[in-house]
Amino acid sequence: MLFDTHAHYDDDKFAEDRYEVIEKAHESGVSYIINAATDVKSCEDSLALAHRYEYVYAAVGIHPHEVGDADDNALDEVARLAKDSKVVAIGEIGLDYYYDFAPRELQKHWFAQQINLAKELKLPVIVHDREAHQDSLEIIKQEKANEVGGVFHCYSGSLEMAKELLNNNFYISVGGSLTFKNAKKLVEVVRWIPLDKLLIETDCPYLTPEPHRGKRNDSSYVRFVAEKVAEIKQISVETVADVTLNNAKRLFNI
């Protein structure tokens, strides 16, 4: 019984076998999937998937890569779609200073705007934070994101930052990168973090875990993340699966 809290099945890499892959993952023991949107079209596609499958839910929002094309109409559309009963979060939103596809000040503006939308709608946020740790932390504090809480997905920050996030009503989510050989810092975070504040994900089709790195990722591979967490924490995979599933259900009100 696993919960993949972050997937992108509307991605073109699933164009030929999208439904087959989702159904196979569910049959393999993935009880729930959240499809995280990146722009308005992606919000609509995520919602369509959520209505097709009882066990799929949607997060709607504008990714930092896409905010260069965003305007008030886009935010209004996200707000409209977010009122659907299958929407469980505003996301994925945040900052990406690795690619810098949009000016940083614009990224910060849309991150803050969408946190405030989440607070209006009483929905948690799913945060993308790549090489923008300090600014991401400052914005969630300034905008009082702790009022709704949320998750930093594919966590890549420090142990110190993880402690601050927990104090601000956030969960930490880990994906395939936890299984990579260079994941020493993330292993340290997972070893420390209380299990009841941890989520697992795939971010599929990206970040495929070992031993399948290099292939297209899908939700069935979330079990490799659960196995790695179990190994680090020296507990059973069943415990990891059970607790992280219940954590996600609590955060996303499922």
Side-chain angles (χ1 to χ4, degrees):
M1 300 285 281
L2 295 155
F3 196 139
D4 182 3
T5 59
H6 200 105
H8 296 286
Y9 282 110
D10 55 303
D11 192 283
D12 288 344
K13 289 185 173 66
F14 291 113
E16 297 193 0
D17 59 353
R18 180 172 291 115
Y19 304 135
E20 184 185 344
V21 174
I22 292 171
E23 287 157 20
K24 276 189 174 173
H26 187 58
E27 286 161 13
S28 78
V30 179
S31 302
Y32 300 95
I33 297 165
I34 292 176
N35 204 79
T38 53
D39 59 19
V40 172
K41 170 74 165 60
S42 175
C43 291
E44 292 166 349
D45 293 344
S46 296
L47 208 43
L49 282 171
H51 281 290
R52 184 183 178 100
Y53 297 106
E54 188 184 351
Y55 50 88
V56 176
Y57 292 83
V60 296
I62 301 168
H63 190 288
H65 288 345
E66 309 297 335
V67 296
D69 297 323
D71 56 19
D72 289 343
N73 290 334
L75 191 64
D76 288 345
E77 190 60 11
V78 170
R80 185 185 70 80
L81 294 169
K83 289 169 182 162
D84 189 286
S85 63
K86 288 301 296 272
V87 171
V88 294
I90 299 297
E92 94 189 69
I93 63 175
L95 305 174
D96 193 309
Y97 293 175
Y98 179 79
Y99 285 109
D100 271 330
F101 285 159
R104 292 182 180 184
E105 288 308 311
L106 195 61
Q107 291 188 46
K108 290 184 201 174
H109 168 77
W110 284 105
F111 187 20
Q113 290 278 89
Q114 293 183 93
I115 288 172
N116 283 301
L117 173 63
K119 284 160 60 181
E120 281 173 37
L121 299 172
K122 296 183 169 54
L123 288 170
V125 291
I126 295 176
V127 178
H128 173 104
D129 160 39
R130 189 159 188 195
E131 297 197 3
H133 306 321
Q134 196 57 45
D135 285 352
S136 295
L137 198 51
E138 279 177 16
I139 289 170
I140 67 155
K141 287 179 177 177
Q142 285 165 8
E143 304 303 327
K144 297 185 170 62
N146 63 309
E147 290 177 15
V148 287
V151 57
F152 269 57
H153 103 94
C154 275
Y155 188 70
S156 60
S158 65
L159 178 55
E160 290 69 29
M161 181 178 171
K163 290 175 180 177
E164 283 215 56
L165 290 174
L166 264 58
N167 289 335
N168 279 276
N169 197 24
F170 273 78
Y171 288 76
I172 301 292
S173 182
V174 293
S177 51
L178 181 65
T179 69
F180 300 168
K181 288 185 177 66
N182 64 350
K184 290 187 178 70
K185 189 169 70 169
L186 187 54
V187 167
E188 182 190 9
V189 171
V190 169
R191 187 174 289 124
W192 168 82
I193 194 170
L195 192 58
D196 66 355
K197 296 302 286 186
L198 193 65
L199 303 179
I200 56 175
E201 62 170 278
T202 58
D203 199 22
C204 64
Y206 312 105
L207 289 176
T208 312
E210 300 288 3
H212 298 287
R213 196 172 179 184
K215 299 177 185 171
R216 182 187 69 178
N217 201 4
D218 71 64
S219 295
S220 67
Y221 290 163
V222 77
R223 70 184 176 88
F224 294 108
V225 181
E227 286 168 3
K228 189 66 180 178
V229 171
E231 178 193 317
I232 293 164
K233 287 191 161 297
Q234 299 184 315
I235 55 179
S236 71
V237 179
E238 291 76 18
T239 299
V240 173
D242 184 52
V243 177
T244 56
L245 181 140
N246 284 306
N247 292 346
K249 288 177 78 172
R250 185 167 60 249
L251 173 62
F252 298 114
N253 197 27
I254 292 169

